[in-house]
Amino acid sequence: MNVVMLGPPGAGKGTQAVRLAEIYGIPHISTGDIFRENVREGTELGRRAREYMERGELVPDELVIEIVADRLKREDCRNGFILDGFPRTVAQADALKAMLAGEVRALDHVVNVEVPAEVLVKRISGRRTCRECGTNYNVHFEQEEVGEACRECGGQIYQREDDLEETVRRRLREYEAKTAPLIEYYRDEGLLRRVDGDAPPEEVLASIRRVLEGGGESG
Ligand code: AMP
C-alpha cells in the first residue's frame, strides 16, 4: 500500500504515520526526520537544509526530491510505504508521480488530516520532542507534567527550533501557499481521503484505517 499523509504542520500526521507503518508492516518515511538527522550528524545535506528549517521555510525541491527518490528505491519499500511530510509542493508531487511511474507503481491513497488553524498553533507551540527517540509530548495537553527526560527512553526533551510560535505561524503560511494546493491536485486524481484530525489520536487512527481498508469517507 502506497500512502501519502497530507495535512498542515501539527495535524498529527507524523504520529499517525508511525502507527500505520507498524500496523501495515511498511516503512514510515518522514522527510523532516531525515533532515533533522542530517542536521544532527552535521552532513552536507544537513548543512544546506538547516537554514531553511530554522526559518520555518521549505527546503528547495531539488534537495528533497533526490532524498525521497533514493529512499523509495530501497528494498523495504517494495510492499509499500507511508510518506509523511512529502510531497509539500506541486513540483514534488509531480516528481513523486514520475518516480513511481518509472517503477510501474502508483499511489493508492492520500490521507488529508484536517485540523482547524487555532488548534494547530496550540499543538505545535506546546510540542516537546525527545532528542533521542523522537517521541512527542505536549505541555498543553499532557496529564502529567512534561519533564526534562523522555518517558520512553530517558533522552533529553527539547523544543524544536521550528516549533517556536513565530516560526509555527510562518510554517503555516508556507503550508497554505505551497502545500494546500495539493488537496485539489489529489482530489482531481481521485486519491484524496479526508479524515477529521481534531479528535483523540486513537479515534483519528481508526478513521484512517477505515478509509485505507475501504468503506470510509473520501473525497
Ligand atoms: P516536518 O518535521 O515534516 O514538519 O519538517 C520539518 C522541516 O523540514 C520543514 O519545516 C521544512 O523546512 C523541511 N522539510 C521537510 N519535508 C520537506 C519537504 N517535503 N519539502 C521541503 N521542506 C521539507
Side-chain angles (χ1 to χ4, degrees), residues 9 13 30-33 35-36 52-53 56-61 64 84-88 92 127 160 162 171:
K13 54 188 192 308
S30 156
T31 44
D33 284 350
F35 284 132
R36 278 186 290 280
Y52 298 98
M53 295 173 74
E57 291 171 10
L58 293 182
V59 171
D61 286 331
V64 192
D84 162 19
F86 181 95
R88 261 178 155 105
Q92 292 178 21
R127 180 158 67 188
R160 281 168 43 180
D162 59 347
R171 287 167 66 199

Side-chain angles (χ1 to χ4, degrees), residues 1-3 20-22 24-30 34 37 67-83 100 103 105:
M1 185 163 48
N2 304 332
V3 178
L20 295 168
E22 280 166 12
Y24 298 113
I26 50 181
H28 164 223
I29 303 172
S30 156
I34 295 172
E37 200 179 306
I67 294 169
V68 175
D70 284 345
R71 183 64 189 85
L72 290 180
K73 282 190 200 121
R74 299 227 309 246
E75 184 65 18
D76 63 344
C77 294
R78 210 185 45 225
N79 294 324
F81 51 80
I82 311 272
L83 272 172
L100 291 175
E103 299 169 17
R105 293 199 281 180

Side-chain angles (χ1 to χ4, degrees), residues 8 23 32 42 57 64 78 83 87 98 100 102 106 108-109 134 139 144 152 167 174 176 178-179 189:
I23 292 167
E57 291 171 10
V64 192
R78 210 185 45 225
L83 272 172
L100 291 175
D108 297 304
H109 306 279
V139 297
E144 280 175 64
E152 300 296 325
T167 319
E174 282 276 273
E176 281 305 325
K178 295 180 181 160
T179 310
E189 303 225 320

Side-chain angles (χ1 to χ4, degrees), residues 116-178:
E118 64 277 11
V119 179
L120 294 174
V121 174
K122 205 165 167 193
R123 278 194 189 175
I124 323 182
S125 58
R127 180 158 67 188
R128 301 292 182 272
T129 306
C130 172
R131 270 192 208 282
E132 303 302 322
C133 71
T135 297
N136 286 320
Y137 300 91
N138 195 300
V139 297
H140 300 308
F141 303 119
E142 302 270 333
Q143 309 246 314
E144 280 175 64
E145 195 183 327
V146 180
E148 288 174 10
C150 175
R151 282 178 227 137
E152 300 296 325
C153 76
Q156 188 193 20
I157 300 294
Y158 79 119
Q159 182 173 30
R160 281 168 43 180
E161 292 277 342
D162 59 347
D163 281 349
L164 299 172
E165 184 157 341
E166 195 193 312
T167 319
V168 169
R169 294 192 185 280
R170 194 164 319 129
R171 287 167 66 199
L172 289 172
R173 283 199 299 273
E174 282 276 273
Y175 167 81
E176 281 305 325
K178 295 180 181 160

